Amino acid sequence: MSVTFENEAVEKEVQAFRTTFSSLKEEIGKFIVGQDEVVNHVLISIIAGGHVLLEGVPGLGKTALVNTISKVLHLDSKRIQFTPDLLPADILGTNILVERNGEKVFEFQKGPIFTNILLADEINRATPKTQSALLETMQEKTVTVANKTHILDKPYFVLATQNPLEMDGTYPLPEAQLDRFFFKLNVEMPNHQEFSEILDRTTGLTQPEINAITDGARIIEMGKTACQVPIAEDIKNYLIKLAISTHPEKDESPKVVKQYIRYGVSPRAAQAILLAARIHALISGRYHVAKEDINAVAIPAMRHRMLLSFEGEAEGITTEKIIKDIIQLLN
């Protein structure tokens, strides 16, 4: 079923949406080689107002990607290197004693979390106490210190990284915090041609000049535009079936889920899929959500929200494979 926007102004906004998205990808591509799917999904997440967890070994350009995105969006960005000795006050800020007009008063000194794009580098190296300090900022976009709540500037995004290889001295993120990440993206090694291009761009005398394409206010507007993309009842039911099928206790769940999954996705996963599918529909030239849009964003939205059973872990099964099997069965 083809659905179009009746409002001419909204239709023009959709065309502007696609143009801006395309320009952002093109500008980021001046510096970031390959990783098209990662860039695409990070931009979708940012427009949707969500946070991203990037997983990959060091040196694959995760930090460079965040810096490049902050430039093309003309947003302030800060980087926190998470370490075991990092304390919540180190990232949130703290009250310090200062002298004002001859009197000593407490004044709140903002931490690096007060920014638009926060790069939380190797987030799993910090202790759970420090990791949990991010929960309020990720969910509520606020910071509470000494019973006083400070509102963060909008837009606000957390782009966190973690190394899948070095697990010694790390603290795996709890399920409640993983659920706050809109997408989890795997950053893969480049191929031979991409490797060559990376060397050419980064080891010469000049670096590509990155220009600002849009700003935070425009990103917020694009998110509002995406929310207007309609979804048919049968497509919404397909999305609900997809989410419910990840729960082994449900009668309609496939055998592979009952065998290898301990706990399925939360409703927050379905919300993320719908938001991302609406954006994916717009950039794909559709004015309505289709199954293709849901399938395209299901894996990054669900892979970190599913818990494998002991049998699944022992046999080396991945949540990505389970999601692909569910999609294949539902289609």
Side-chain angles (χ1 to χ4, degrees):
M1 180 178 67
S2 178
V3 181
T4 58
F5 292 110
E6 296 180 2
N7 191 320
E8 186 177 343
V10 175
E11 191 166 350
K12 289 182 179 179
E13 172 62 20
V14 170
Q15 296 301 326
F17 183 106
R18 295 181 62 192
T19 301
T20 302
F21 193 95
S22 177
S23 299
L24 287 170
K25 282 195 67 177
E26 184 178 347
E27 195 68 22
I28 293 171
K30 287 182 179 180
F31 189 77
I32 301 299
V33 179
Q35 308 293 358
D36 288 341
E37 186 175 273
V38 172
V39 171
N40 206 55
H41 284 149
V42 168
L43 288 176
I44 287 175
S45 181
I46 286 176
I47 293 170
H51 312 289
V52 177
L53 179 61
L54 300 167
E55 185 169 280
V57 298
L60 294 182
K62 299 185 293 295
T63 304
L65 173 62
V66 175
N67 291 335
T68 305
I69 288 175
S70 67
K71 289 178 182 177
V72 299
L73 296 180
H74 197 57
L75 294 174
D76 179 57
S77 68
K78 288 186 174 65
R79 176 176 182 262
I80 301 175
Q81 181 65 48
F82 280 71
T83 56
D85 60 346
L86 197 70
L87 298 175
D90 295 329
I91 61 175
L92 299 179
T94 187
N95 288 315
I96 60 174
L97 194 62
V98 298
E99 191 168 333
R100 290 275 186 271
N101 299 323
E103 295 183 358
K104 291 184 177 180
V105 295
F106 281 103
E107 183 179 279
F108 180 66
Q109 186 75 34
K110 292 182 178 180
I113 208 166
F114 285 85
T115 185
N116 296 119
I117 300 179
L118 177 69
L119 173 58
D121 219 351
E122 294 190 297
I123 189 172
N124 57 333
R125 288 205 172 279
T127 61
K129 184 177 183 180
T130 303
Q131 290 175 3
S132 64
L134 283 175
L135 271 176
E136 181 188 357
T137 65
M138 294 173 67
Q139 185 66 33
E140 309 296 339
K141 310 292 175 68
T142 59
V143 174
T144 301
V145 177
N147 294 325
K148 185 175 181 181
T149 300
H150 307 267
I151 300 175
L152 295 168
D153 292 335
K154 294 180 180 178
Y156 175 74
F157 315 104
V158 174
L159 302 182
T161 70
Q162 63 179 16
N163 181 356
L165 299 181
E166 286 190 49
M167 300 310 294
D168 291 337
T170 62
Y171 303 85
L173 294 174
E175 287 74 22
Q177 187 152 12
L178 283 173
D179 202 27
R180 262 66 177 188
F181 283 102
F182 192 84
F183 279 165
K184 178 186 177 183
L185 307 176
N186 294 330
V187 184
E188 307 289 348
M189 282 289 291
N191 59 36
H192 186 95
Q193 184 178 352
E194 292 169 346
F195 225 123
S196 177
E197 185 66 25
I198 289 171
L199 294 177
D200 291 340
R201 292 190 191 185
T202 58
T203 61
L205 293 175
T206 60
Q207 298 286 332
E209 184 178 350
I210 306 300
N211 301 309
I213 300 299
T214 187
D215 56 21
R218 175 65 184 143
I219 289 297
I220 293 173
E221 287 178 11
M222 291 174 72
K224 292 178 180 178
T225 299
C227 288
Q228 299 178 62
V229 177
I231 178 171
E233 195 65 27
D234 61 324
I235 303 299
K236 186 169 69 172
N237 288 334
Y238 169 73
L239 168 58
I240 295 171
K241 287 179 182 177
L242 178 61
I244 291 177
S245 295
T246 64
H247 289 266
E249 72 276 8
K250 298 294 183 181
D251 294 335
E252 59 268 40
S253 296
K255 181 180 178 181
V256 67
V257 171
K258 295 180 182 296
Q259 185 175 2
Y260 295 124
I261 296 297
R262 179 158 57 95
Y263 190 77
V265 302
S266 68
R268 193 178 279 118
Q271 293 171 331
I273 292 173
L274 180 53
L275 283 171
R278 283 174 160 153
I279 297 170
H280 189 273
L282 290 181
I283 63 179
S284 301
R286 283 185 291 273
Y287 289 80
H288 63 282
V289 177
K291 278 188 178 181
E292 294 90 331
D293 303 309
I294 291 175
N295 294 342
V297 299
I299 289 178
M302 297 169 68
R303 59 160 52 112
H304 56 299
R305 292 181 163 105
M306 298 168 63
L307 296 181
L308 290 169
S309 64
F310 176 79
E311 186 177 355
E313 292 180 354
E315 295 193 20
I317 302 295
T318 63
T319 54
E320 288 90 342
K321 183 185 183 306
I322 301 293
I323 297 167
K324 288 177 182 177
D325 289 346
I326 295 173
I327 290 174
Q328 188 174 4
L329 287 170
L330 292 178
N331 286 274

